[in-house]
Structures are given as structure tokens and as C-alpha cells.
Amino acid sequence: MQNLSAPFRSDIVGSFLRPEAIKKAREQFAAGQIDAAALRLVEDEAIRDVVNKQRASGLNVVTDGEFRRAWWHFDFFYGLQGVERYEAELGIQFNGVQTKAHGVRVTGKLSFGDHPMLNDFRFLQSVAGDAVPKMTIPSPSVLHFRGGRKMIDADVYPNLTAYFDDLAQTYKDTIKAFYDAGCRYLQLDDTVWAYLCSEDQKNQIRERGDDPEELARIYARVLNKAIEGKPEDLTIGLHVCRGNFRSTWISEGGYEPVAEILFGGVNIDTFYLEYDNERSGGFEPLRFIKPGHQQVVLGLITTKTGELEDPAQVKARLAEAAKYVSLDQICLSPQCGFASTEEGNSLSEAQQWEKVRLAVDIAKQVW
């Protein structure tokens, strides 16, 4: 049965490859050749185009491709009250490549404030037509995890309990603000839960003095406090990502170490899960997905390479997953965005849209 509301049987994670017009305009803006208003006009036109392409590909959900951002997470955090951008000594280390050396730290009391991305959503909504506009933002755990205690001002938050309480309230206010702006489909992007599935990453967490199991309990509690009491007509999803930068990755390992607390204990509407290769493990952890309302969007189509998947193999994997969670609770999508950062993954725009259409076509055949 084809879903008529979010999440859709064929869905998307959010980001798309940046078109040349945006890359050029960003260079001109950085060089002082155009102002912010001129840059935004270029972004507006590119967003109209990417929305039209999503609809032409058969999607009932659209995003703005994250075209106004350089990063999937930092740009949102820059707009929060109490958060400061800084130039780090090192970038984030992926498998064989490193990102630009940017970072965020908490220097004041956290709050949502008048966030600039509210207007970004309003524009997307204005051009979405009859499609459902989806807003994507980083999950609250991401703000804490990357820097941990050392990136939180001890004078402001001598006690991390108060910090996590404020983090949950900030996201509660975030959710309300986007809802009031008209958003009915909100996605939280989260790399941390995948790190908590990786033995290598968990060892690194222990080396810095944190307990991975305790962090999982804290992050689950923050998420549940943030979404508690949300409106019934707002769908909130959580995308669990193993890292996505120029077609590389950070963590590996199946979902079993966090499955019970994440799938069984976090009251999210939808989980978007990467299942595009062996690093993702098997489908057994899906047995914890709660029956009924909760949905799982399986990312069986990779965004890291342009080679198209065999539809028969994708259908076989959907059938395999259905052994652990009802097929009626399953949807299909590409495994991640195509450009979690402005650099983008190693495939062409044509290949990107072929991947989207493949997900749409398979979903129509299965459901």
C-alpha cells in the first residue's frame, strides 16, 4: 500500500549535489564580489529547480537540497543561541580524507532564538507545490558528542545535567518553531548512534573519559524529552548515518549494540537506516521497531557511488527485512544525502537522479 503521508514509500534523506551556479555564487560571496542578498537569489532559483526535479522523479516529499548550507550540521548549530563557531586545529577524520577544520562550542546558555533556518523552511514550503516539504536538521546528540565536555564552557554549565536539560528544551522549542512555521515533516540527522555501534569509535569514546553506554542512555533521554508532547500531525524522523563526506565514511558495525535502547526506547516516528553495504550489518535489530505507528526507511540504495543497484536484489533485501518488521512499516530511500557537505559525493547529477528514480520505481512495484 502506497503511503499518502510522511514517511513515503519512496523517500529521501535530504541533501543533493550543489549545482555549479551555487558553487560559483559562494565563491563570489567569499571574495566580496556579491552580497548576501544576491547569493540568496541564486540559492532561491537553484532550490526551485531541485524541488521541480524531485517532483519530476516521482517523489511526494521534497527538501531544499540543503543548498543554503556548507555542512549538514554546523550551519544549524551556528544559528543557535549560546553556540559559537571556531576554527579547529584539525578537521573531522573520515576513511582516508579529512574535512575542513571547523567546529562549534557552547559558550552561553543554549536556546533556539530566532533561527535563520525558519525562513529557509518557509521558502521551501512556498515552492513545494503539492509535495510535502521536509526540513532536515542535526540531532541534539551531535552538538554534544563531537567535542564533549571540553567544548562546553564550564562557567556556563558546571553541571552537564543542566546542559542536557537545556539541550532538550532547545530542541523542544526548535520543533515548535518549525511546526508553527508550517513544517509537518522534520528529520533529525544523527551520526552518533552509528558511532555507538562501532567498537573502534567506542574505544575512542572511552579514551576521552566517556562511557558509550551511558551516552546512549543520555541521548535517548534528551531525544524523548525534546519530542514529548509534539503535535500528532507532525512526523519526526531520525536518520542514523555512518558518516558521508566525498563518498567516504567514519564508522562501521551493525545496529545491534544500540537497537534495544534506540528502536525500542526512543519515541521517534520514523528511523532512516543505512543498509547499503556490509558495514551496516544484518536486519535482525529491526525486531525492536515498535509495531504499528513506527516506520523504518531502509537506505538500500547507496549515494556514495553512481553505479545503479539491481532492482531484484533491492526487492530481495526488502523481503529479508520484512522477516523482522512488517513490510507495511517499511519504506525505501537512498542511504544518505548526496552531499552532506557542499563538496558532495563522487557521482554525477545524472546518476543522482537515476538513484532517486530507482527508489521510486522499486517502491511502486513493492507497495
Side-chain angles (χ1 to χ4, degrees), residues 194-195 197-201 242 249-254 279-280:
Y195 296 163
C197 296
S198 163
E199 286 305 317
D200 177 60
Q201 290 291 322
R242 289 174 174 78
W249 48 275
I250 291 179
S251 61
E252 56 187 321
R279 287 188 295 108
S280 305

Side-chain angles (χ1 to χ4, degrees), residues 132-314:
V132 173
K134 177 163 74 169
M135 187 67 190
T136 63
I137 61 174
S139 178
S141 54
V142 179
L143 182 59
H144 170 263
F145 181 82
R146 177 58 58 191
R149 165 79 266 191
K150 67 180 181 180
M151 290 303 166
I152 302 169
D153 191 315
D155 291 331
V156 178
Y157 288 110
N159 184 333
L160 282 186
T161 299
Y163 166 81
F164 285 119
D165 285 346
D166 281 359
L167 181 61
Q169 185 60 49
T170 295
Y171 267 79
K172 196 176 203 55
D173 294 342
T174 299
I175 290 165
K176 183 181 187 304
F178 277 109
Y179 183 85
D180 290 347
C183 181
R184 297 297 180 268
Y185 194 7
L186 181 68
Q187 177 181 301
L188 308 177
D189 292 316
D190 200 319
T191 53
V192 178
W193 289 100
Y195 296 163
L196 297 175
C197 296
S198 163
E199 286 305 317
D200 177 60
Q201 290 291 322
K202 285 197 287 186
N203 285 335
Q204 292 183 40
I205 293 168
R206 294 184 187 102
E207 287 171 4
R208 79 181 196 190
D210 284 323
D211 176 356
E213 284 69 34
E214 178 61 17
L215 284 184
R217 289 189 288 271
I218 290 170
Y219 295 152
R221 189 163 61 246
V222 168
L223 277 167
N224 280 338
K225 286 178 70 174
I227 63 180
E228 185 179 18
K230 77 167 184 69
E232 283 295 316
D233 61 340
L234 171 63
T235 297
I236 301 182
L238 185 75
H239 171 229
V240 180
C241 177
R242 289 174 174 78
N244 187 23
F245 174 67
R246 289 183 169 175
S247 293
T248 63
W249 48 275
I250 291 179
S251 61
E252 56 187 321
Y255 297 101
E256 194 65 36
V258 301
E260 188 167 8
I261 188 170
L262 179 60
F263 304 150
V266 175
N267 302 318
I268 214 81
D269 296 313
T270 303
F271 292 100
Y272 309 84
L273 303 179
E274 299 192 340
Y275 268 112
D276 60 324
N277 57 36
E278 65 282 354
R279 287 188 295 108
S280 305
F283 294 116
E284 292 83 359
L286 299 183
R287 69 190 184 277
F288 290 106
I289 297 288
K290 292 184 279 292
H293 170 70
Q294 206 168 44
Q295 300 278 311
V296 56
V297 182
L298 299 182
L300 299 174
I301 296 168
T302 191
T303 65
K304 294 190 181 331
T305 65
E307 183 180 358
L308 274 182
E309 285 77 1
D310 178 354
Q313 290 184 0
V314 175

